[in-house]
Amino acid sequence: MKYDDLVEELGEFGPYQRRIFFLSCLPAIVAGIQTLIPVFILAVPDHRCAIPSMENDTYAIQNAAHRFLLNETLGIDASYGASNGWGSGECRVHVGSTELNSTHHSANTTEECHRWVYDKSVFHSTFVTQENLVCNDKSLRSHANMIYMGGVLVGSMILGVFSDRFGRKISIFLSLFINSVSSIAIAFSPNFICFCVLRFFTGISDIGLYICAFVLAMELVGRRYRAQCGVAISYFYCLGLLVLDAAAYGIRDWVILQLVLSCCSVLLFPLWWMFPESPRWLISKGRIPEARVILEKIAQVNQTKLPEDIGDVRDVPKQQGRLLDMCSHSVMVLRAIVIFINWAVVTLLYYGITLNVGSLGGDIYLNFAVSAVVEALGYAAASFTLPRWGRKRFYCFSMIVGSLACLSFVVPAFLEVKDEWISLLLSNIGKLGAAGSYTTIFVFSAELFPTSLRNSVIGTSSMIGRVGGMTAPYIADLGVLVGGSFGSSLPFIVFGASGLLSGVLALTLPETLNQTLPETIQEALDFGRKKVGLEIEIKSEKTESSLL
C-alpha cells in the first residue's frame, strides 16, 4: 500500500489534518514578519547635515536664528530644503563663518559632514539613523538586505537536508530557536557587522520555518488537497505582513519594534506539544511503531479506522537522476535555461518591488498594507485561474502585465509628474503580477520535468531564485543611490525589463494543465510537442528521440 492510499483511508483533510495544518501555518506569519521588517527598521528618513556649531540641532526649523544658520551652513533656503529636499546639504556643509552677524559664506568651499539630523515625523528611530548609514555609507543598507537573502539561500540548503535526516518537527523548532535568539539579539546590535551577522542567521531560520512547516503539513493531507493547502499557507505569510505593518505603525522606535515582533516566534514554542512528527517521514525511516501511534491518533480524531498492518506501507519510490543526464537533449536544456531565468527574475521582481515600497512616496504604512493585500489577491487569482487557464498562460500573463506596469514608471518620470497615487497603482499592479507568477512557478517547474530529474531541477531552480533575491536589494535601492524623479522610477524600469524578457521566454514552454506528468526523459522530450504556437520545436531532437 502506498502512503497516499493510507491517507485516503484515514481521511485526506479531516479534523486532525485541519488542526495541524492551521498550526503549521503559524510559522509562516513569523517568516513574513522577519523577512520584510527591514522595510521599517532600515528605512531612510529625510535628513540633512547637522550644523557643526550647533549641538542641539534638529531637523525641524526651530526659529529665525536656526533658519539663518541653515541657510549659511547648507547654502540652500531652509524652507525650500524642508519641503523639496536638501540636495548637497544631505552630505556636505559649507566651510565658512556661521556666526549670526555674518552676511556671507564661502559658497564654493564645502566639506563632508559627520553628523546628521533626521526627520522624526514618520520614524522616531531606525537602524539607519542609529548608525548613520547615509551618504558614503548608504550602500550598506543594500548589503544588509543581501546578506539576509544569503542566509535564506544557505538555510534552504542546510535545513532541507537536516529535515530529511532528523525529521520535520525538530527542524521546525531548531529554526524557531535560531529565529528567536537572532531576532531578539538584533535589537541590541552595537554595530553594522553584528546586525548583518544576526540577520544572516534570521534568514537561515526564516526559510527553515516556512519550508519545514510547509512540508509537515503537506505530508499529513491527502493528494487532492495539497494544491489548495499550498496556496493557503501563503495567506498566513501575507497575514504576517499585515501584523508587521500594524506594529510598525504603532511603534516608531526600531529597537522596540524588533523586540516586540521577535516575541511572535517565542510564542510558538508551546506548539512542540501539539505538533506530531510526520508519519510519512517516520515510515520512510523504518520507525513504524512511532508512525502507528500518530496514525492511530489521526484515525481516532477523524473517526476512521487504521489498517492493522502498516508495515508494508511505503512512500512512492523516486528515481534518482542527475542534471547532466539532460545535457545531451537540447529541448531539455533550453527548457531548463528558461525555467532558471524565470526563477531568478520572478524572485527578483517579488522581493524588489516589496522592498521598494518605502520609495513610492506618501504614507509608507498605507503603501505596505495595500501591497500585502494585493499579494494575497495574487495568490487567490493563481488558485482560481490555474485550473482554468493553465500554468503557462496564467504565468506569462502575470509576468508580462506586472512587468509592463513596472515599465510604465518611465512615463511619469519623463513627464516629471509627481503623483503618489500613480506610483502606488503601478507598483501594486506589478506586485499582483509578481505574486501570481511566484506561486505559479513552483507548480509549472515541477510539472515540466521527468520524475528522475524533478527534485534536482526544483532544487537548482530554488537556489538560482535566491541569487535573484540577493540582487533585489541593490536594484531596489537604486532610487536612493541615484536620486531624483528618474532615480525613484529606475528600480521599476529594471524590474519591468527583466520581467518582460522572462515572461516572453516562458511562452516557449509547453502547457502542463491536465497532462500526465513525465516519468522519463523520453516522455519529457515528447511532452507538448503536438502543441502549435511558440513552443520549442527542434527537428533534430525528433530524429534523436526516434533513434533512442
Side-chain angles (χ1 to χ4, degrees), residues 44 47 90-91 116 118 128 131-138:
V44 184
H47 57 279
E90 292 183 355
C91 299
W116 292 264
Y118 299 90
V128 169
E131 298 297 317
N132 291 318
L133 304 182
V134 294
C135 298
N136 291 336
D137 291 332
K138 59 187 176 182

Side-chain angles (χ1 to χ4, degrees), residues 385-393 443-444 447-448 510-517 527 531:
T385 309
L386 285 178
R388 295 166 175 81
W389 281 19
R391 285 59 161 142
K392 171 182 170 180
R393 186 182 300 178
V443 180
F444 199 14
E447 294 177 342
L448 275 172
E511 179 56 70
T512 62
L513 178 64
N514 298 326
Q515 300 292 320
T516 301
L517 295 185
F527 194 69
K531 302 288 184 182

Side-chain angles (χ1 to χ4, degrees), residues 375-397:
E375 180 173 340
L377 291 176
Y379 296 142
S383 180
F384 177 80
T385 309
L386 285 178
R388 295 166 175 81
W389 281 19
R391 285 59 161 142
K392 171 182 170 180
R393 186 182 300 178
F394 179 74
Y395 178 82
C396 294
F397 175 81

Side-chain angles (χ1 to χ4, degrees), residues 40-69:
F40 300 103
I41 67 173
L42 289 179
V44 184
D46 292 336
H47 57 279
R48 60 169 173 78
C49 292
I51 298 173
S53 62
M54 190 174 182
E55 291 298 324
N56 63 339
D57 192 12
T58 61
Y59 187 84
I61 300 173
Q62 302 173 16
N63 49 44
H66 189 210
R67 184 189 302 274
F68 177 81
L69 287 174

Side-chain angles (χ1 to χ4, degrees), residues 7 36 99 106 163 200 206 225 248 281 301 317 363 398 501 507 528:
V7 172
L36 292 178
E99 300 298 328
S106 181
S163 174
F200 178 82
D206 280 347
Y225 292 90
W281 179 82
V301 175
D363 189 322
S398 299
L501 174 62
L507 290 171

Side-chain angles (χ1 to χ4, degrees), residues 180-231:
S180 300
V181 172
S182 61
S183 59
I184 291 173
I186 284 172
F188 303 98
S189 299
N191 52 53
F192 176 76
I193 293 176
C194 182
F195 179 89
C196 289
V197 170
L198 292 170
R199 281 292 292 168
F200 178 82
F201 282 101
T202 304
I204 291 176
S205 62
D206 280 347
I207 194 64
L209 276 175
Y210 191 91
I211 289 180
C212 296
F214 175 83
V215 170
L216 174 61
M218 291 300 101
E219 290 181 341
L220 283 171
V221 304
R223 67 190 109 196
R224 287 192 302 164
Y225 292 90
R226 286 179 193 150
Q228 297 94 317
C229 290
V231 175

Side-chain angles (χ1 to χ4, degrees), residues 302-361:
N302 289 354
Q303 297 183 350
T304 55
K305 186 176 180 180
L306 179 68
E308 289 297 327
D309 186 13
I310 64 168
D312 62 341
V313 173
R314 293 291 182 268
D315 203 350
V316 178
K318 297 179 180 178
Q319 292 178 276
Q320 298 298 319
R322 300 176 303 165
L323 286 177
L324 293 177
D325 293 343
M326 65 180 181
C327 289
S328 58
H329 307 282
S330 55
V331 169
M332 298 293 292
V333 171
L334 290 175
R335 285 180 186 172
I337 290 174
V338 171
I339 285 294
F340 293 159
I341 291 173
N342 274 271
W343 266 87
V345 173
V346 75
T347 308
L348 167 70
L349 202 62
Y350 171 79
Y351 284 109
I353 292 176
T354 306
L355 291 172
N356 203 53
V357 69
S359 67
L360 296 176

